[in-house]
Amino acid sequence: MRLLTRTFRPAARVGARPFSTDHLKRTATYDDHVALGGKLVDFAGYAMPVQYVAKDSKHSLSIIESTKWTREHASLFDVSHMCSLIWRGKDAARFVEKVTVADVAGLPVGRGVLSVICNEAGGSIDDTMITKCADEDGKGGEHIYQVVNAGCADKDIAHFRKHLAEFDGEVDLEVHWDTRGLFALQGPESQKILEKLSGKDLSQVAFGEWIPALDLGGAKTMVSRCGYTGEDGFELFVPGDAIKDTWRLLLGQDGVRAAGLGARDALRLEAGLCLYGHELDEETTPVEAGVAWTVGE
C-alpha cells in the first residue's frame, strides 16, 4: 500500500534540540519503535520511524542494509497510520465505482486492486487499495474493504460523504482508523514465516488475493498479498487487542527485521510504484501519471 510522500522532516539535527513527538499521533507500537532506537519523523501527522539505530540490536541497519535485507529475507513495516474503510450495502460496489476508477463490480471476491480517487476534473485526490471481501457472517454477502493514505484520509472521507449525500442507493461507510494494526511483512521469506506461524500453506495465495482470517498467535488476522513495497509480501490487518503481541511475534521470527520509511521509499522507487504528492496529485489524472491501467473498463 502506498504512502503520502518521500519528503519527511528529520527527527533530530546536529546542534538542535531533539525532535519532540508529543504533538504527533502514535501507532499502537510506538513504544516498541522507541525501544528499537527508531529515528522518528513527522509523517502525515504520526511519529513514524525512518530506520532503527539501537545499540547492539539486530534491527539496527542502515537504510541501504535494510533495503537489501528486505530483498533477500523479510522486513516488517508498521503502516498502522493508514486509514481503513469498509463499505456495506447492496449498492456498495456501485458507489465505490462512482468515487474511484476501479471496476469493483467485476472484481472477484477475495481480490484486491490498486485504484485512484478522482475529483470532478479527473485529478487524483488519492491512490487507494480496494478489496472485495466476503462478509464474516458466512451468509454469502459481500463488502468492500478500502485503504487510503493517512495524509489524505480526512479529505478522502469528506469527498466520500459529499457523494454519499447525493447517492440514490443503499450503502454505509465504516471508518477504521487507529482501531486496528496494519503491518507489511515484505520479502522472499515472508511466506515461509507466515506459514510457520499459522500452520497454513500459502503457496496458492496469488498476488492481489485476500485471506479473511489467518490465525497468528491466536489473533484472527485479515491478510492480503499485494506487495506493498514492490517486493513479494503480505499486509496484515490485526485486531486492536492483538496489535502489540502480533508485532512482537513477527519480530521474534528468525530472518525478520524491523524496517522504516527509508527502506520503504527505496524499495518502492526501485519498483516504480507511484507516491501520492509526486506522480499523483489533484492536478494530475491517472492517465497523465502513467497509471491508466488502474482505470476499469
Side-chain angles (χ1 to χ4, degrees):
M1 226 342 264
R2 296 127 307 280
L3 297 184
L4 179 64
T5 175
R6 297 189 188 98
T7 304
F8 36 72
R9 184 154 52 105
R13 299 186 301 276
V14 175
R17 294 178 64 186
F19 176 74
S20 172
T21 62
D22 292 346
H23 64 295
L24 299 175
K25 292 186 282 187
R26 301 174 177 183
T27 67
T29 53
Y30 170 85
D31 290 341
D32 292 68
H33 297 317
V34 172
L36 291 173
K39 286 189 173 182
L40 301 174
V41 299
D42 179 349
F43 189 85
Y46 282 81
M48 300 299 293
V50 173
Q51 65 182 113
Y52 298 92
V53 295
K55 185 178 180 181
D56 299 325
S57 169
K58 67 179 183 181
H59 302 288
S60 295
L61 303 173
S62 70
I63 291 173
I64 292 176
E65 290 170 336
S66 184
T67 301
K68 290 180 177 179
W69 187 274
T70 310
R71 289 194 204 123
E72 298 170 4
H73 305 285
S75 293
L76 185 64
F77 299 79
D78 178 18
V79 291
S80 302
H81 62 301
M82 302 183 78
C83 180
S84 293
L85 309 173
I86 297 178
W87 300 95
R88 301 185 189 274
K90 66 181 183 65
D91 298 306
R94 181 162 66 90
F95 179 80
V96 177
E97 286 188 338
K98 180 179 176 65
V99 294
T100 72
V101 298
D103 176 12
V104 182
L107 195 64
V109 173
R111 291 287 279 181
V113 64
L114 174 67
S115 188
V116 180
I117 304 163
C118 289
N119 58 31
E120 286 73 8
S124 305
I125 296 174
D126 198 4
D127 59 308
T128 182
M129 280 299 301
I130 296 171
T131 303
K132 183 181 284 186
C133 303
D135 286 344
E136 298 86 349
D137 58 14
K139 295 181 179 179
E142 300 172 0
H143 63 275
I144 310 300
Y145 198 103
Q146 184 175 8
V147 181
V148 298
N149 288 307
C152 296
D154 287 333
K155 70 171 181 176
D156 293 347
I157 294 170
H159 179 75
F160 294 150
R161 293 198 187 283
K162 173 187 173 184
H163 284 276
L164 275 172
E166 304 166 353
F167 189 63
D168 61 356
E170 181 184 313
V171 58
D172 294 309
L173 170 62
E174 299 173 12
V175 179
H176 296 264
W177 202 1
D178 299 328
T179 58
R180 56 88 186 103
L182 177 51
F183 307 139
L185 184 65
Q186 304 284 289
E189 295 182 3
S190 58
Q191 177 182 315
K192 177 182 68 176
I193 291 163
L194 289 183
E195 288 179 333
K196 174 188 172 185
L197 291 173
S198 67
K200 299 293 185 181
D201 178 8
L202 304 179
S203 62
Q204 300 305 307
V205 180
F207 176 80
E209 288 189 342
W210 160 84
I211 305 169
L214 193 68
D215 190 327
L216 296 177
K220 300 297 183 183
T221 301
M222 190 177 85
V223 177
S224 63
R225 190 173 198 168
C226 294
Y228 164 79
T229 60
E231 298 294 318
D232 184 26
F234 299 82
E235 297 74 44
L236 314 174
F237 299 80
V238 184
D241 59 357
I243 296 173
K244 292 181 180 179
D245 287 344
T246 302
W247 172 262
R248 293 165 186 171
L249 175 67
L250 291 165
L251 276 191
Q253 303 307 302
D254 291 339
V256 176
R257 299 292 184 269
L261 294 169
R264 180 216 64 164
D265 278 357
L267 291 161
R268 289 182 59 82
L269 185 63
E270 287 179 342
L273 299 178
C274 62
L275 290 165
Y276 192 82
H278 291 260
E279 295 82 4
L280 288 169
D281 58 43
E282 294 199 36
E283 303 299 321
T284 307
T285 70
V287 174
E288 292 168 337
V291 291
W293 52 269
T294 64
V295 181
E297 298 180 358

